[in-house]
Amino acid sequence: MYVLFSAAHIFVSAIKHRKKIIAALFLAFLVPSVLAIHKLPKKFQSSALFNFHSDFSKIPASSEFFSEIYDPNEIRAEKEAILVGVLSDDFLLETTAKYFGDEQAESEWKVQGLRKDIRFVPLSRTTYQLVVVQQSPEITQKIAWDVLERLEETLRTERLVRMQSVYGSITQQLNELTIEGGDKDLSIQLDATRLRIETEIQKLERMYTAEHPRLARLRSQLQNINRPSRYNPNDPLGRGQIENWASLRGILLTRQALLQVAIRMEEKGTLSHIKLVKEPDLPQWPVAPKKSILYLSALITSLALGFAIGAALSLLKDLNGIFPEITSSWRTFKEKINQISQGKKDTNGV
């Protein structure tokens, strides 16, 4: 109870006799804090919502050449990889130089800081939110639009590369097909197949007799391969092979035409795999810093420090009155220390 009364006495004494000191300390802490908070740069946030369709990796008329993804986790992982790839070093350097100048673009911290200020937040399997934070409302909105355009361009470029690769392969295959239904490169495949069958026959001959069903089947396959590939239109077998060739050529021509249409649509930008749900907005108010909270914190902190230092000064002044035995105890302690030190000196001297 005595300690509580002492603390209350110190607090009241500080308020009563240290008003000017407390006020001076309060202002000394508050003014620099307010100026520092006032100079903090404002940050504005622009956001956009878009649907990232799951069929972005599907190439028309070429499902046999590229495996389609059906696992939602794999689709999401591939989407996130594309989104991360959008924020490439080249794009960030170009954006920094465009909006902040070439000098800023040469600064590594500025470029990497821009990377941290752009985020893709997944809201569902197909819906994503783009968040951009910058110090200027106009620049924030423009960067958000640039990121969305870059994403669309990246998807279109990747799809075009895949479709043109398949289109070129189909075109080459059509050019190599001969009128007889053969393939110019078929001889290489036939030689490899013939060698494989002959090797297997030699291996089985050491294990089985010549009448074994597996050996008979392999010999029949080898004879079919060695048979000349000349087809007689009047022969049913020849007609069937010609029909198969015509069917294959028709399928390849159809897919080539479909791919050509899809490539033209991609080049003209008529296909979009990013559907904007909410366009990047022009921010009206800063999202950081929360200056009202910072001002209130500076006010409370300055007031607390002023009272604490004023109370400490009152405590130092009234310390002897509150604890009268402290002076005598201190003197006794000092005398004991001096006696011990003197005794050590006398012992060392002896």
Side-chain angles (χ1 to χ4, degrees), residues 317-334:
K317 182 179 180 181
D318 300 337
L319 193 60
N320 191 29
I322 298 173
F323 304 103
E325 72 280 1
I326 193 170
T327 304
S328 59
S329 300
W330 176 255
R331 289 175 181 175
T332 303
F333 175 75
K334 290 289 291 183

Side-chain angles (χ1 to χ4, degrees), residues 17-36:
H17 304 291
R18 300 285 188 269
K19 293 180 180 179
K20 294 182 179 180
I21 295 177
I22 292 175
L25 292 171
F26 172 73
L27 293 175
F29 288 115
L30 181 62
V31 172
S33 300
V34 170
L35 292 176

Side-chain angles (χ1 to χ4, degrees), residues 110-149:
K110 184 67 176 180
V111 176
Q112 297 304 323
L114 181 60
R115 188 191 302 274
K116 294 180 181 179
D117 292 336
I118 303 174
R119 294 180 292 114
F120 292 100
V121 182
L123 302 181
S124 66
R125 290 183 178 179
T126 57
T127 305
Y128 286 80
Q129 182 183 27
L130 169 64
V131 179
V132 180
V133 178
Q134 284 298 313
Q135 298 180 10
S136 169
E138 293 78 12
I139 291 178
T140 304
Q141 184 186 37
K142 290 178 180 178
I143 291 178
W145 275 114
D146 289 348
V147 172
L148 291 175
E149 291 175 1

Side-chain angles (χ1 to χ4, degrees), residues 193-194 196-227:
T193 305
R194 183 185 298 107
R196 179 180 60 80
I197 294 177
E198 290 176 350
T199 303
E200 190 172 356
I201 289 175
Q202 293 176 1
K203 180 180 178 181
L204 293 178
E205 284 178 346
R206 302 189 190 100
M207 302 171 58
Y208 306 111
T209 60
E211 291 78 14
H212 195 276
R214 289 187 61 183
L215 283 170
R217 185 168 61 253
L218 290 174
R219 289 194 183 95
S220 177
Q221 293 178 3
L222 185 61
Q223 290 177 0
N224 291 332
I225 292 175
N226 292 330
R227 185 180 302 164

Side-chain angles (χ1 to χ4, degrees), residues 78 90-91 145 162 215 220 235-236 310:
E78 187 169 354
D90 294 338
F91 173 71
W145 275 114
R162 290 188 178 186
L215 283 170
S220 177
D235 183 19

Side-chain angles (χ1 to χ4, degrees), residues 61-161:
S62 60
S63 59
E64 291 82 359
F65 305 101
F66 293 99
S67 59
E68 297 183 358
I69 302 176
Y70 298 98
D71 187 358
N73 294 326
E74 292 185 12
I75 294 176
R76 182 171 181 175
E78 187 169 354
K79 286 181 180 179
E80 292 179 354
I82 293 175
L83 294 176
V84 172
V86 169
L87 303 179
S88 62
D89 292 338
D90 294 338
F91 173 71
L92 294 175
L93 285 171
E94 180 183 348
T95 304
T96 305
K98 180 179 179 181
Y99 295 108
F100 305 105
D102 295 333
E103 294 183 0
Q104 294 290 339
E106 295 177 357
S107 177
E108 183 67 21
W109 70 268
K110 184 67 176 180
V111 176
Q112 297 304 323
L114 181 60
R115 188 191 302 274
K116 294 180 181 179
D117 292 336
I118 303 174
R119 294 180 292 114
F120 292 100
V121 182
L123 302 181
S124 66
R125 290 183 178 179
T126 57
T127 305
Y128 286 80
Q129 182 183 27
L130 169 64
V131 179
V132 180
V133 178
Q134 284 298 313
Q135 298 180 10
S136 169
E138 293 78 12
I139 291 178
T140 304
Q141 184 186 37
K142 290 178 180 178
I143 291 178
W145 275 114
D146 289 348
V147 172
L148 291 175
E149 291 175 1
R150 178 76 172 192
L151 175 59
E152 186 70 36
E153 180 184 352
T154 300
L155 285 175
R156 183 176 295 109
T157 301
E158 183 177 349
R159 287 172 56 82
L160 275 172
V161 170

Side-chain angles (χ1 to χ4, degrees), residues 38 83 141 161-162 184 218-219 232 239 246 248 287 292:
H38 181 71
L83 294 176
Q141 184 186 37
V161 170
R162 290 188 178 186
K184 294 180 180 178
L218 290 174
R219 289 194 183 95
N232 184 4
R239 289 198 301 271
L248 174 61
V287 294
S292 58

